[in-house]
Coordinates of all heavy atoms in Angstrom, one line a residue:
I186 N -95.9 -68.5 -58.1 CA -97.2 -68.1 -58.5 C -98.1 -69.3 -58.5 O -97.8 -70.4 -59.1 CB -97.2 -67.6 -60.0 CG1 -96.3 -66.3 -60.1 CG2 -98.5 -67.3 -60.6 CD1 -95.8 -65.9 -61.5
L187 N -99.1 -69.3 -57.7 CA -100.0 -70.4 -57.5 C -101.0 -70.5 -58.6 O -101.8 -69.6 -58.8 CB -100.7 -70.4 -56.1 CG -99.9 -70.2 -54.8 CD1 -100.7 -70.3 -53.6 CD2 -98.7 -71.2 -54.8
A188 N -100.9 -71.6 -59.3 CA -101.8 -71.7 -60.5 C -102.3 -73.1 -60.8 O -102.5 -73.5 -61.9 CB -101.1 -71.1 -61.8
A189 N -102.4 -73.9 -59.7 CA -102.8 -75.3 -59.8 C -104.3 -75.5 -59.8 O -104.8 -76.6 -60.2 CB -102.1 -76.1 -58.9
G190 N -105.1 -74.5 -59.3 CA -106.5 -74.7 -59.1 C -107.2 -74.8 -60.5 O -106.7 -74.5 -61.6
Q191 N -108.5 -75.3 -60.4 CA -109.2 -75.8 -61.6 C -109.9 -74.5 -62.2 O -110.0 -74.5 -63.4 CB -110.2 -76.9 -61.1 CG -110.9 -77.5 -62.4 CD -111.7 -78.6 -62.1 OE1 -112.1 -78.9 -60.8 NE2 -112.2 -79.3 -63.1
G192 N -110.5 -73.8 -61.4 CA -111.4 -72.7 -61.8 C -112.6 -73.3 -62.4 O -113.0 -73.0 -63.5
R194 N -115.7 -72.6 -62.0 CA -116.9 -71.8 -62.2 C -116.7 -71.1 -63.6 O -117.6 -70.5 -64.2 CB -117.0 -70.8 -61.2 CG -117.8 -71.1 -60.1 CD -118.1 -70.0 -59.1 NE -116.9 -69.7 -58.2 CZ -116.7 -68.6 -57.5 NH1 -117.6 -67.7 -57.6 NH2 -115.7 -68.5 -56.8
K201 N -108.0 -72.1 -66.0 CA -108.3 -70.7 -65.7 C -107.3 -69.7 -66.0 O -107.5 -68.6 -66.5 CB -108.8 -70.6 -64.2 CG -109.3 -69.2 -63.9 CD -110.0 -69.1 -62.6 CE -109.2 -69.3 -61.4 NZ -110.1 -69.1 -60.1
V202 N -106.1 -70.0 -65.5 CA -105.0 -69.0 -65.7 C -104.6 -68.8 -67.2 O -103.8 -67.8 -67.5 CB -103.7 -69.4 -64.9 CG1 -103.9 -69.4 -63.5 CG2 -103.2 -70.8 -65.4
V234 N -96.6 -72.8 -59.9 CA -97.1 -74.1 -59.4 C -98.3 -74.6 -60.2 O -99.4 -73.9 -60.3 CB -97.6 -74.1 -57.9 CG1 -98.1 -75.4 -57.4 CG2 -96.4 -73.6 -56.9
V235 N -98.1 -75.6 -60.9 CA -99.2 -76.0 -61.9 C -99.8 -77.4 -61.4 O -99.2 -78.0 -60.6 CB -98.5 -76.3 -63.3 CG1 -98.0 -74.9 -63.9 CG2 -97.4 -77.3 -63.3
G236 N -101.0 -77.6 -61.9 CA -101.7 -78.7 -61.5 C -102.8 -79.0 -62.5 O -102.6 -79.7 -63.5
Q264 N -98.1 -79.7 -58.7 CA -98.9 -80.1 -57.5 C -100.0 -81.0 -58.1 O -100.9 -80.5 -58.6 CB -99.6 -78.9 -56.9 CG -100.3 -79.2 -55.6 CD -101.3 -78.1 -55.2 OE1 -101.7 -77.2 -56.0 NE2 -101.7 -78.1 -53.9
E266 N -102.1 -83.2 -56.8 CA -103.4 -83.1 -56.3 C -103.6 -81.7 -55.6 O -102.6 -81.3 -54.8 CB -103.4 -84.2 -55.2 CG -104.6 -85.3 -55.5 CD -104.6 -86.1 -54.4 OE1 -103.6 -86.9 -54.0 OE2 -105.6 -86.3 -53.7
Q267 N -104.7 -81.2 -55.7 CA -104.9 -79.8 -55.1 C -105.4 -79.9 -53.7 O -106.5 -80.1 -53.4 CB -105.8 -78.9 -56.1 CG -105.2 -78.4 -57.2 CD -104.8 -79.5 -58.3 OE1 -105.6 -80.2 -58.8 NE2 -103.5 -79.6 -58.6
K268 N -104.4 -79.8 -52.8 CA -104.8 -80.0 -51.4 C -104.6 -78.7 -50.7 O -104.5 -78.6 -49.4 CB -103.8 -80.9 -50.8 CG -104.0 -82.4 -51.3 CD -103.0 -83.3 -50.5 CE -103.0 -84.7 -51.2 NZ -101.9 -85.4 -50.6
G269 N -104.7 -77.5 -51.3 CA -104.8 -76.3 -50.6 C -103.5 -75.4 -51.0 O -102.5 -75.9 -51.5
T270 N -103.7 -74.1 -50.6 CA -102.6 -73.1 -51.0 C -101.3 -73.3 -50.4 O -100.2 -73.1 -50.9 CB -103.0 -71.7 -50.7 OG1 -103.6 -71.6 -49.4 CG2 -104.2 -71.3 -51.7
G271 N -101.3 -73.9 -49.1 CA -100.1 -74.3 -48.4 C -99.5 -75.4 -49.0 O -98.2 -75.4 -49.1
H272 N -100.2 -76.4 -49.4 CA -99.7 -77.5 -50.1 C -99.1 -77.2 -51.4 O -98.0 -77.7 -51.9 CB -100.8 -78.6 -50.2 CG -100.4 -79.9 -50.8 ND1 -100.7 -80.2 -52.1 CD2 -99.7 -80.9 -50.4 CE1 -100.3 -81.3 -52.5 NE2 -99.6 -81.8 -51.4
A273 N -99.7 -76.2 -52.0 CA -99.2 -75.7 -53.3 C -97.8 -75.1 -53.2 O -96.9 -75.4 -53.9 CB -100.2 -74.7 -54.0
L274 N -97.7 -74.3 -52.2 CA -96.4 -73.6 -52.1 C -95.4 -74.6 -51.6 O -94.2 -74.4 -52.0 CB -96.6 -72.5 -51.0 CG -95.5 -71.5 -50.8 CD1 -95.1 -70.9 -52.0 CD2 -95.8 -70.4 -49.7
L290 N -97.8 -65.1 -55.3 CA -98.8 -64.5 -56.1 C -99.8 -65.5 -56.7 O -99.4 -66.7 -56.6 CB -98.1 -63.8 -57.3 CG -97.1 -62.7 -57.2 CD1 -96.4 -62.3 -58.5 CD2 -97.7 -61.4 -56.5
Y291 N -101.0 -65.1 -57.1 CA -101.9 -66.0 -57.6 C -102.0 -65.9 -59.1 O -102.0 -64.8 -59.7 CB -103.3 -65.7 -57.1 CG -103.5 -66.0 -55.6 CD1 -102.5 -66.7 -54.9 CD2 -104.8 -66.0 -55.0 CE1 -102.8 -67.1 -53.6 CE2 -105.0 -66.3 -53.7 CZ -104.0 -66.8 -53.0 OH -104.3 -67.3 -51.7
G292 N -102.1 -67.0 -59.8 CA -102.1 -66.9 -61.3 C -103.4 -66.3 -61.8 O -103.5 -66.0 -63.0
D293 N -104.4 -66.3 -61.0 CA -105.7 -65.7 -61.4 C -106.0 -64.3 -60.9 O -107.0 -63.8 -60.9 CB -106.8 -66.6 -61.1 CG -107.0 -67.0 -59.6 OD1 -106.0 -66.5 -58.8 OD2 -107.8 -67.8 -59.1
V294 N -105.0 -63.7 -60.4 CA -105.0 -62.2 -59.9 C -104.1 -61.5 -60.8 O -102.9 -61.3 -60.5 CB -104.7 -62.1 -58.4 CG1 -104.8 -60.6 -58.0 CG2 -105.6 -63.0 -57.5
P329 N -116.9 -58.6 -47.9 CA -115.8 -59.5 -47.8 C -116.1 -60.9 -48.0 O -115.2 -61.8 -47.9 CB -115.3 -59.2 -46.4 CG -116.5 -58.9 -45.6 CD -117.6 -58.2 -46.5
G331 N -116.4 -64.6 -48.8 CA -115.7 -65.5 -49.5 C -114.2 -65.5 -49.3 O -113.4 -66.4 -49.5
Y332 N -113.7 -64.4 -48.8 CA -112.3 -64.2 -48.6 C -111.9 -64.5 -47.1 O -112.8 -64.6 -46.2 CB -112.0 -62.7 -48.7 CG -111.9 -62.2 -50.1 CD1 -113.1 -61.6 -50.6 CD2 -110.9 -62.3 -50.9 CE1 -113.2 -61.1 -52.0 CE2 -110.9 -61.9 -52.2 CZ -112.0 -61.3 -52.8 OH -112.0 -60.8 -54.1
G333 N -110.6 -64.8 -47.0 CA -110.1 -65.0 -45.6 C -110.1 -63.6 -44.9 O -109.8 -62.6 -45.6
R334 N -110.4 -63.7 -43.6 CA -110.3 -62.3 -42.8 C -109.1 -62.2 -42.0 O -108.5 -63.1 -41.4 CB -111.5 -62.3 -42.0 CG -112.8 -62.6 -42.5 CD -113.3 -61.7 -43.6 NE -114.8 -61.7 -43.7 CZ -115.5 -62.5 -44.4 NH1 -114.9 -63.6 -45.0 NH2 -116.8 -62.5 -44.4
I346 N -105.2 -65.3 -39.9 CA -106.1 -65.2 -40.9 C -107.1 -66.4 -40.7 O -106.7 -67.5 -40.7 CB -105.4 -65.3 -42.3 CG1 -104.4 -64.1 -42.5 CG2 -106.4 -65.4 -43.5 CD1 -103.6 -64.1 -43.8
V347 N -108.3 -66.1 -40.9 CA -109.4 -67.1 -40.7 C -110.1 -67.1 -42.0 O -110.6 -66.1 -42.6 CB -110.4 -66.7 -39.6 CG1 -111.4 -67.8 -39.4 CG2 -109.6 -66.7 -38.3
E348 N -110.2 -68.4 -42.6 CA -111.0 -68.5 -43.9 C -112.5 -68.4 -43.6 O -113.0 -68.7 -42.5 CB -110.8 -69.9 -44.4 CG -109.3 -70.1 -44.9 CD -109.0 -69.0 -46.0 OE1 -109.6 -68.9 -47.0 OE2 -108.1 -68.1 -45.7
E349 N -113.2 -67.9 -44.5 CA -114.7 -67.6 -44.4 C -115.4 -68.9 -43.8 O -116.2 -68.8 -43.0 CB -115.3 -67.4 -45.8 CG -116.7 -67.5 -46.0 CD -117.4 -66.2 -46.0 OE1 -116.8 -65.1 -46.2 OE2 -118.6 -66.3 -46.0
K350 N -115.0 -70.1 -44.4 CA -115.7 -71.3 -43.9 C -115.5 -71.7 -42.5 O -116.1 -72.5 -42.0 CB -115.4 -72.4 -44.9 CG -116.2 -72.3 -46.2 CD -116.0 -73.3 -47.2 CE -116.8 -73.2 -48.5 NZ -116.2 -73.7 -49.7
I362 N -109.6 -58.1 -45.6 CA -109.5 -59.4 -46.2 C -108.0 -59.7 -46.6 O -107.3 -58.8 -46.8 CB -110.5 -59.7 -47.3 CG1 -110.2 -58.7 -48.5 CG2 -111.9 -59.6 -46.9 CD1 -109.3 -59.3 -49.6
N363 N -107.8 -61.0 -46.7 CA -106.5 -61.5 -47.2 C -106.6 -61.6 -48.7 O -107.4 -62.4 -49.3 CB -106.1 -62.9 -46.6 CG -105.0 -63.6 -47.3 OD1 -104.1 -62.9 -47.6 ND2 -105.1 -64.8 -47.4
T364 N -105.7 -60.7 -49.4 CA -105.7 -60.8 -50.8 C -105.0 -62.1 -51.4 O -105.2 -62.6 -52.4 CB -104.9 -59.6 -51.5 OG1 -103.6 -59.9 -51.2 CG2 -105.5 -58.4 -51.0
G365 N -104.2 -62.8 -50.4 CA -103.5 -64.0 -50.7 C -102.1 -63.7 -51.2 O -101.2 -64.6 -51.1
I366 N -101.9 -62.4 -51.5 CA -100.5 -62.0 -51.9 C -99.7 -61.6 -50.7 O -100.2 -60.8 -49.9 CB -100.6 -60.8 -52.9 CG1 -101.3 -61.3 -54.2 CG2 -99.2 -60.2 -53.1 CD1 -101.7 -60.3 -55.1
M367 N -98.6 -62.3 -50.4 CA -97.8 -62.1 -49.3 C -96.3 -62.2 -49.6 O -95.9 -63.0 -50.5 CB -98.3 -62.8 -48.1 CG -98.3 -64.4 -48.4 SD -99.0 -65.3 -47.0 CE -100.8 -65.2 -47.3
N385 N -109.5 -78.4 -41.0 CA -110.3 -77.3 -41.0 C -111.5 -77.6 -41.8 O -111.7 -78.7 -42.4 CB -109.6 -76.0 -41.7 CG -108.8 -76.5 -43.0 OD1 -109.4 -77.0 -43.9 ND2 -107.5 -76.3 -43.0
Q387 N -112.4 -77.1 -44.8 CA -112.3 -77.6 -46.2 C -111.3 -78.7 -46.3 O -111.1 -79.3 -47.5 CB -111.8 -76.5 -47.1 CG -112.7 -75.2 -47.0 CD -112.4 -74.2 -48.0 OE1 -112.6 -74.3 -49.3 NE2 -111.7 -73.2 -47.5
E389 N -108.1 -78.7 -46.1 CA -107.0 -78.3 -47.0 C -105.9 -77.8 -46.2 O -106.0 -77.4 -45.0 CB -107.5 -77.2 -47.9 CG -108.4 -77.6 -49.0 CD -108.8 -76.4 -50.0 OE1 -108.4 -75.3 -49.7 OE2 -109.5 -76.7 -51.0
Y390 N -104.7 -77.8 -46.8 CA -103.5 -77.3 -46.2 C -103.6 -75.7 -46.5 O -103.2 -75.3 -47.6 CB -102.3 -77.9 -46.6 CG -102.2 -79.3 -46.2 CD1 -102.6 -80.3 -47.0 CD2 -101.6 -79.7 -44.9 CE1 -102.6 -81.7 -46.6 CE2 -101.6 -80.9 -44.4 CZ -102.1 -82.0 -45.3 OH -102.1 -83.3 -44.9
Y391 N -103.9 -74.9 -45.5 CA -104.1 -73.4 -45.7 C -102.8 -72.8 -45.5 O -102.2 -72.8 -44.5 CB -105.0 -72.9 -44.7 CG -106.5 -73.2 -44.8 CD1 -107.3 -72.9 -43.7 CD2 -107.1 -73.8 -45.9 CE1 -108.7 -73.2 -43.7 CE2 -108.5 -74.0 -45.9 CZ -109.2 -73.7 -44.8 OH -110.6 -74.0 -44.8
L392 N -102.3 -72.1 -46.6 CA -101.1 -71.2 -46.5 C -101.4 -70.1 -45.4 O -100.5 -69.8 -44.7 CB -100.9 -70.6 -47.8 CG -99.7 -69.5 -47.8 CD1 -98.4 -70.0 -47.3 CD2 -99.5 -68.9 -49.2
T393 N -102.6 -69.7 -45.3 CA -102.9 -68.6 -44.3 C -102.7 -69.1 -42.9 O -102.5 -68.1 -42.0 CB -104.4 -68.3 -44.5 OG1 -105.2 -69.5 -44.6 CG2 -104.7 -67.5 -45.8
D394 N -102.6 -70.3 -42.6 CA -102.2 -70.8 -41.2 C -100.9 -70.4 -40.8 O -100.6 -70.5 -39.6 CB -102.5 -72.2 -41.0 CG -104.0 -72.7 -41.1 OD1 -104.8 -71.6 -40.9 OD2 -104.4 -73.9 -41.0
I417 N -106.2 -56.3 -56.7 CA -106.3 -57.6 -55.8 C -107.4 -58.4 -56.3 O -107.6 -59.5 -55.6 CB -106.4 -57.3 -54.4 CG1 -107.7 -56.5 -54.0 CG2 -105.2 -56.3 -54.0 CD1 -108.6 -57.4 -53.4
I418 N -108.2 -58.1 -57.3 CA -109.4 -58.9 -57.7 C -108.9 -60.2 -58.5 O -108.1 -60.1 -59.4 CB -110.4 -58.1 -58.6 CG1 -110.8 -56.9 -57.7 CG2 -111.5 -58.9 -59.1 CD1 -111.7 -57.2 -56.5
G419 N -109.4 -61.3 -58.0 CA -109.1 -62.6 -58.7 C -110.2 -62.9 -59.7 O -111.4 -62.3 -59.6
V420 N -110.0 -63.7 -60.6 CA -111.0 -64.2 -61.6 C -111.4 -65.6 -61.2 O -110.6 -66.5 -61.3 CB -110.4 -64.2 -63.0 CG1 -111.4 -64.7 -64.0 CG2 -109.9 -62.7 -63.4
N421 N -112.8 -65.7 -60.9 CA -113.3 -67.0 -60.7 C -114.4 -67.4 -61.7 O -114.7 -68.5 -61.9 CB -113.9 -67.0 -59.3 CG -112.9 -66.8 -58.2 OD1 -111.8 -67.6 -58.2 ND2 -113.0 -65.8 -57.3
Ligands
UD1_246 C1 -107.5 -67.9 -50.8 C2 -107.1 -67.7 -49.4 C3 -107.9 -66.6 -48.8 C4 -107.9 -65.3 -49.7 C5 -108.3 -65.7 -51.1 C6 -108.1 -64.5 -52.0 C7 -106.0 -69.7 -48.5 C8 -106.3 -70.9 -47.6 N1 -107.2 -68.9 -48.6 O1 -108.8 -68.5 -50.8 O2 -107.5 -66.3 -47.5 O3 -108.9 -64.3 -49.2 O4 -107.5 -66.8 -51.6 O5 -108.6 -64.8 -53.3 O6 -105.0 -69.5 -48.9 N2 -104.2 -73.1 -55.6 C9 -103.3 -74.0 -56.0 N3 -103.4 -75.2 -55.4 C10 -104.4 -75.6 -54.5 C11 -105.3 -74.5 -54.2 C12 -105.2 -73.4 -54.7 O7 -102.4 -73.8 -56.8 O8 -104.3 -76.7 -54.0 C13 -104.1 -71.7 -56.4 C14 -105.3 -71.5 -57.2 O9 -105.0 -71.8 -58.5 C15 -105.4 -69.9 -57.1 C16 -104.9 -69.7 -55.7 O10 -104.1 -70.8 -55.2 O11 -104.6 -69.2 -58.0 C17 -106.1 -69.4 -54.7 O12 -106.8 -70.5 -54.6 P1 -108.4 -70.4 -54.4 O13 -108.9 -71.8 -54.3 O14 -109.0 -69.4 -55.2 O15 -108.4 -69.8 -52.8 P2 -109.4 -69.3 -51.9 O16 -110.1 -70.5 -51.3 O17 -110.3 -68.4 -52.7

Side-chain angles (χ1 to χ4, degrees):
I186 298 162
L187 306 187
Q191 183 174 15
R194 276 187 281 162
K201 179 163 75 174
V202 292
V234 179
V235 295
Q264 186 194 22
E266 242 186 298
Q267 283 67 58
K268 296 183 186 171
T270 49
H272 181 256
L274 189 54
L290 300 174
Y291 286 1
D293 57 2
V294 180
Y332 288 95
R334 309 297 206 280
I346 297 175
V347 178
E348 290 305 296
E349 164 104 8
K350 285 181 179 148
I362 61 98
N363 170 36
T364 66
I366 294 169
M367 54 183 82
N385 51 53
Q387 301 186 81
E389 286 183 359
Y390 295 91
Y391 291 165
L392 172 58
T393 43
D394 284 352
I417 63 101
I418 300 294
V420 173
N421 296 305

